[in-house]
Amino acid sequence: MNFGRIVTAMVTPFNQHGQLDLVATKDLVQHLIANGTDALVVAGTTGESPTLSTQEKLLLFKTVVETVDGQIPVIAGTGSNNTNASIELTKQAEEIGVDAIMLVVPYYNKPSQEGMFAHFSAIANETKLPVMLYNIPGRSAVNMSVETTLRLAQVSNIVATKEASGDLEAMATIIEHAPEGFSLYSGDDSLTLPILAIGGTGVVSVASHIVGSEMQQMVRNYQSGQVTASAMQHRQLVPVMKSLFMAPNPTAVKAALEMKGIKVGSVRLPLVPLTAEQQQELQTVVHPTMNFFVS
């Protein structure tokens, strides 16, 4: 399955009482589609999945699937550190009509490589949906090895991995030895161009909420051989990408969306809003009239 180049890890909009805001969710989906998003990850880390109940996740999946209406793929974040719970949520998401699922490396439990293989295989075997793996050692406290990723890539419906290890050497090895049709996505916005350069497919992005069209332009330039222009655009986007991680994700990107007039609300505890100083710093980079790629 082709998820495209720029996949947005979508924030979850909340109202002023901290509840799901489904109207704002629909508006956000339309904004993202209009601004270069090729596919959506719903209820991932950026979607504040640790603070969403199962019922909230299912309502979010349903709302996004209905709003997208087949325009782009919807990838449901159904992974957790509980294999049986992930299987159950995956089955429910499949019934709702999502196009694929994303499964994070189990966090906190610190499974062995064999444990990771068994966990992902067990979930993949219980669904017909395409599966994207998600390796993020900074959050899960364990790193999925190249060998385990390549072993899982042999499972027929495990079709992609989101790599947030930052290890380009490991990613190059995965790309080199994975079966045909297996895609590797960057889990870090700032590595989008380097990962394309070593044969990766694209990025699962946070910055695309704000600069999705610009990121698509950068990718198109790279693909059409305008490497120098693409590299310059990448460098121009780095300050935005960096600013969106000045506080624990998705605190800054939610604030940035609000600055651009896109209502998504604040974050849920244990995350807290940006300080006044951070808001000011973010506003120097992200503002409604910002103009990118001016030479």
Side-chain angles (χ1 to χ4, degrees), residues 3 7 10 42 46 50 56 75 88 99 102 104 110 161 173 177 210 223 229 270:
F3 301 126
V7 179
M10 195 181 87
V42 183
T46 307
E56 285 178 322
I75 306 166
E88 182 58 31
D99 300 291
M102 188 173 78
V104 67
K110 299 181 80 171
T161 187
T173 306
H177 296 287
I210 307 298
Q223 289 177 311

Side-chain angles (χ1 to χ4, degrees), residues 26-175:
K26 293 173 186 176
D27 291 344
L28 176 61
V29 167
Q30 298 294 4
H31 160 76
L32 292 172
I33 292 173
N35 285 276
T37 291
D38 293 321
L40 292 170
V41 170
V42 183
T45 313
T46 307
E48 295 177 77
S49 58
T51 68
L52 295 175
S53 69
T54 298
Q55 287 313 115
E56 285 178 322
K57 288 178 183 178
L58 294 172
L59 187 53
L60 205 50
F61 297 156
K62 184 174 184 291
T63 302
V64 175
V65 166
E66 289 173 355
T67 307
V68 165
D69 195 24
Q71 295 175 79
I72 59 172
V74 176
I75 306 166
T78 60
S80 72
N81 61 350
N82 179 331
T83 308
N84 288 334
S86 294
I87 290 170
E88 182 58 31
L89 184 58
T90 296
K91 287 179 175 178
Q92 291 171 299
E94 188 167 3
E95 284 175 22
I96 285 168
V98 304
D99 300 291
I101 59 167
M102 188 173 78
L103 302 176
V104 67
V105 167
Y107 40 85
Y108 192 74
N109 313 38
K110 299 181 80 171
S112 65
Q113 296 298 318
E114 191 58 38
M116 291 180 212
F117 178 79
H119 169 82
F120 289 124
S121 300
I123 302 168
N125 288 336
E126 292 286 341
T127 182
K128 295 184 178 71
L129 292 174
V131 175
M132 177 186 283
L133 305 172
Y134 179 18
N135 184 36
I136 180 157
R139 286 184 182 268
S140 62
V142 283
N143 180 54
M144 185 158 63
S145 70
V146 169
E147 293 73 23
T148 301
T149 303
L150 290 172
R151 196 175 162 204
L152 285 163
Q154 301 299 323
V155 177
S156 60
N157 60 329
I158 296 181
V159 299
T161 187
K162 174 186 175 185
E163 264 291 335
S165 64
D167 186 344
L168 283 169
E169 189 176 321
M171 293 184 227
T173 306
I174 292 167
I175 293 163

Side-chain angles (χ1 to χ4, degrees), residues 2 42 143 155 193 225 232 251 263 274 281:
N2 181 13
V42 183
N143 180 54
V155 177
L193 196 56
M232 183 177 71
T251 312
K263 298 298 176 191
L274 297 183
E281 184 185 339

Side-chain angles (χ1 to χ4, degrees), residues 234-284:
H234 180 87
R235 294 193 302 271
Q236 289 172 333
L237 288 173
V238 164
V240 178
M241 295 169 176
K242 189 177 176 186
S243 72
L244 294 177
F245 288 89
M246 64 169 60
N249 188 40
T251 312
V253 71
K254 278 190 150 182
L257 283 163
E258 288 278 334
M259 286 174 191
K260 285 176 65 69
I262 299 156
K263 298 298 176 191
V264 292
S266 191
V267 288
R268 278 181 175 172
L269 287 170
L271 301 182
V272 292
L274 297 183
T275 64
E277 291 79 11
Q278 288 173 322
Q279 281 266 6
Q280 203 170 1
E281 184 185 339
L282 186 62
Q283 257 168 335
T284 63

